[in-house]
Amino acid sequence: MTVTRVAVEPTVLEFNGVRLEPLSLEHVEGLRAAAADGALWNLRVTSVPEPHRTQAYVHAALETPNRLAFAVCDASSGRVLGSTSYHDIVPEIGRVEIGYTWYAKRVQRSHVNTSCKLLLLSHAFDTLGCSVVGLRTDNFNHASQAAIERLGARKDGVIRHHGLRRDGTVRDTVMYSIARGEWPEIKAHLHDRLNRHAG
């Protein structure tokens, strides 16, 4: 099998009223406001920053190797809605993962997550030429697992005792992936979901 080396560079992606901008310190106040909508930092199984740690959160995202973080913004107003990332990027084998994803409570269960996933998956497969895109989540984050499965990703397995949660407990990580050959069907499925949501 031929493997394409990918070069993931900062870029702006826009679709369906959602814009992904490379994360910067200019997004700190917007991220703080988005996280405050629902006090999301109180959720044990997410990585949403506490208000006083938002700037440190951005610094950490920018300094993490093999990660490209985005601010999720409303395309018309520029208002920050949350954040997402490509991470654990392995250029040599054409693999990226999508994660560190969270949204203000007001846009959860809206078109925003599906639109973001379409943007990131389309860019990964159709522009970068990735062979596979991974997704992962906490074993207790059942809502995230359900959302990933609704995308059409396949469950690869569970890595036990894999990472620290914010409360100091150790999580198991549920791993999923989408292979290049599965992408056309999943892409059609996501567009269909958006059309039904709009209707």
Side-chain angles (χ1 to χ4, degrees):
M1 181 179 71
T2 302
V3 177
T4 301
R5 180 185 175 93
V6 299
V8 181
E9 302 289 345
T11 188
V12 175
L13 305 172
E14 187 171 328
F15 169 71
N16 198 33
V18 176
R19 185 171 65 247
L20 302 184
E21 303 174 357
L23 190 66
S24 74
L25 291 173
E26 294 179 1
H27 295 112
V28 167
E29 290 304 318
L31 288 172
R32 188 176 288 127
D37 182 0
L40 302 177
W41 58 85
N42 289 320
L43 299 176
R44 177 170 170 258
V45 293
T46 70
S47 60
V48 181
E50 297 165 293
H52 67 282
R53 301 201 69 237
T54 307
Q55 184 166 320
Y57 172 88
V58 173
H59 276 298
L62 298 178
E63 293 166 4
T64 300
N66 303 312
R67 179 176 174 188
L68 174 58
F70 295 92
V72 179
C73 302
D74 179 88
S76 58
S77 68
R79 190 175 186 184
V80 177
L81 306 176
S83 185
T84 191
S85 295
Y86 286 132
H87 65 96
D88 285 78
I89 299 165
V90 189
E92 294 80 8
I93 61 171
R95 178 184 173 92
V96 302
E97 292 190 35
I98 296 172
Y100 296 96
T101 302
W102 59 271
Y103 307 105
K105 187 175 182 179
R106 68 182 178 279
V107 298
Q108 293 175 12
R109 297 189 175 277
S110 71
H111 71 289
V112 171
N113 184 52
T114 302
S115 300
C116 284
K117 291 302 188 291
L118 256 170
L119 279 170
L120 291 168
L121 288 166
S122 295
H123 187 67
F125 286 117
D126 301 335
T127 302
L128 299 178
C130 287
S131 298
V132 68
V133 175
L135 303 103
R136 64 174 73 181
T137 190
D138 190 294
N139 61 304
F140 284 128
N141 195 341
H142 302 297
S144 178
Q145 291 173 51
I148 292 170
E149 289 168 10
R150 284 195 299 271
L151 290 174
R154 295 192 182 185
K155 185 175 179 179
D156 296 322
V158 179
I159 304 176
R160 300 178 65 190
H161 204 76
H162 188 233
L164 276 175
R165 299 188 183 96
R166 68 172 71 234
D167 64 0
T169 59
V170 181
R171 81 177 203 177
D172 294 347
T173 300
V174 187
M175 303 292 292
Y176 294 86
S177 65
I178 298 170
R180 180 200 292 275
E182 299 161 353
W183 169 232
E185 184 176 354
I186 289 174
K187 184 177 185 179
H189 165 67
L190 294 179
H191 278 290
D192 182 62
R193 278 180 57 184
L194 285 175
N195 290 335
R196 284 187 281 112
H197 189 277

